[in-house]
Amino acid sequence: MFGGVFSDSLYFLGHDEGPAFDFLTQWRVSLSVDQDSKLGTDPHLFTAPDPSHAVLVLTQGGTASYHMLNHSPNGWVMSAPHTAPLDGACLGRSGRPVLLYGSNDTFLKADAGTAPHRLPAKDIGHCSASANALLTQEFTGSTDDGAHTLSRLLDRSGRVRWERTDTGIHSGDLDPNTGLVALSADTGVVVLDSRGTPTARIAGAADAQFVRPGCLIVLTPDRHITTRCIRPQSSSSRTFQ
C-alpha cells in the first residue's frame, strides 16, 4: 500500500496486525468525535514500499502535526507528534530516506538517528522515493502560461541530479529498484535514467507506474491497461518489450 486516507489504511493495517492496532483504532475513534468543521482534520497515511515504516499526517485540535510509525517485532509503534504543517510524505524501503513536504516547507531525513534538514524546494505536490534518490514534482498554472509540472530527481543528500519542466499537470514514478523515472506528459510517457537522459518513450500513454523492477503498468487513453518492461540493449539504449 502506498498511502491514502487513514481510514482505508487503518482497515488494511488493522487486519494485518490485529490487536497491535488497538491503540490506533481507539485514537481514530476519539479523533472522529473531536473533529468538526472548524478543525479541518484530514488524516493521511504515507507508507514505505515495504511494510516497515509510515508517516501519519493530520490536523487535530487546530494544530498540524505528523507521526512517524515503524514496524517492530511486537507490531506498529507510533512516535510522539511533531508539529509541522505538512501535506504529505514519501519514504524509501526500510523508511529511508523520508521526504516531508508542505506548502512552504520541505524536510529530508536521510538516515535513522538524524534530524530532518530543510530543503529549498516549495510547493511540492507529489514525490516518490528509493534508497538513493527522491523524485519531487511541483505543479503550477496560470492563465497566461498554462499548467506545468516541474520534476526534480534528488540524491540522498537533497542535491538536484536533474530537473525538467513539462506542459500540463502529470504525476511521475520512481522505480526503487532500477532508479528509472517514468514521467507522464501530454504526448505520452517518457522514461529517464538517473542522469535525466530519456531511455524510452510510450507514445499516447496516459499514465504509468512501476510494478516490478524495470516494468511499468501503463494506462492508455482508451482506458486499457498493459505492462511494458524495459530491456537494456546496450549501455546507451533501452527499448520496450
Side-chain angles (χ1 to χ4, degrees):
M1 189 164 191
F2 295 92
V5 295
F6 182 68
S7 57
D8 293 340
S9 300
L10 177 60
Y11 178 87
F12 172 83
L13 295 172
H15 279 67
D16 181 53
E17 295 300 327
F21 251 91
D22 283 350
F23 75 101
L24 279 183
T25 305
Q26 295 169 5
W27 174 84
R28 187 66 180 89
V29 171
S30 66
L31 182 65
S32 66
V33 173
D34 183 47
Q35 84 178 36
D36 59 36
S37 59
K38 295 180 291 184
L39 297 179
T41 302
D42 188 17
H44 283 73
L45 188 71
F46 301 86
T47 66
D50 55 1
S52 64
H53 292 74
V55 176
L56 175 63
V57 175
L58 73 154
T59 301
Q60 186 175 16
T63 301
S65 65
Y66 68 93
H67 299 257
M68 305 297 295
L69 288 83
N70 67 85
H71 191 260
S72 71
N74 297 319
W76 287 87
V77 179
M78 178 188 287
S79 74
H82 304 274
T83 302
L86 298 182
D87 296 324
C90 57
L91 306 85
R93 283 199 178 96
S94 300
R96 299 293 178 269
V98 180
L99 189 74
L100 308 164
Y101 61 89
S103 299
N104 299 310
D105 296 301
T106 302
F107 301 93
L108 174 62
K109 183 177 176 65
D111 296 290
T114 62
H117 67 274
R118 190 186 301 269
L119 297 181
K122 293 184 178 182
D123 299 319
I124 291 177
H126 175 75
C127 73
S128 54
S130 69
N132 300 307
L134 297 124
L135 174 68
T136 67
Q137 294 186 287
E138 300 172 26
F139 307 121
T140 61
S142 69
T143 54
D144 295 330
D145 300 327
H148 293 86
T149 299
L150 172 61
S151 304
R152 292 190 178 97
L153 188 70
L154 313 178
D155 65 17
R156 194 181 177 90
S157 69
R159 181 179 62 89
V160 178
R161 290 181 177 175
W162 56 259
E163 67 177 51
R164 58 178 281 157
T165 300
D166 292 288
T167 303
I169 303 296
H170 305 283
S171 63
D173 194 32
L174 171 64
D175 185 349
N177 298 283
T178 65
L180 295 172
V181 173
L183 295 180
S184 301
D186 288 345
T187 57
V189 171
V190 59
V191 181
L192 304 100
D193 62 19
S194 60
R195 297 168 297 178
T197 304
T199 62
R201 299 179 186 274
I202 313 175
D207 199 3
Q209 287 191 338
F210 288 101
V211 291
R212 60 181 187 269
C215 292
L216 294 152
I217 185 169
V218 179
L219 176 67
T220 64
D222 54 1
R223 298 184 181 180
H224 289 150
I225 294 177
T226 62
T227 301
R228 303 287 183 91
C229 294
I230 298 175
R231 177 172 55 85
Q233 297 211 328
S234 68
S235 59
S236 59
S237 66
R238 297 176 186 266
T239 187
F240 281 102
Q241 60 180 17

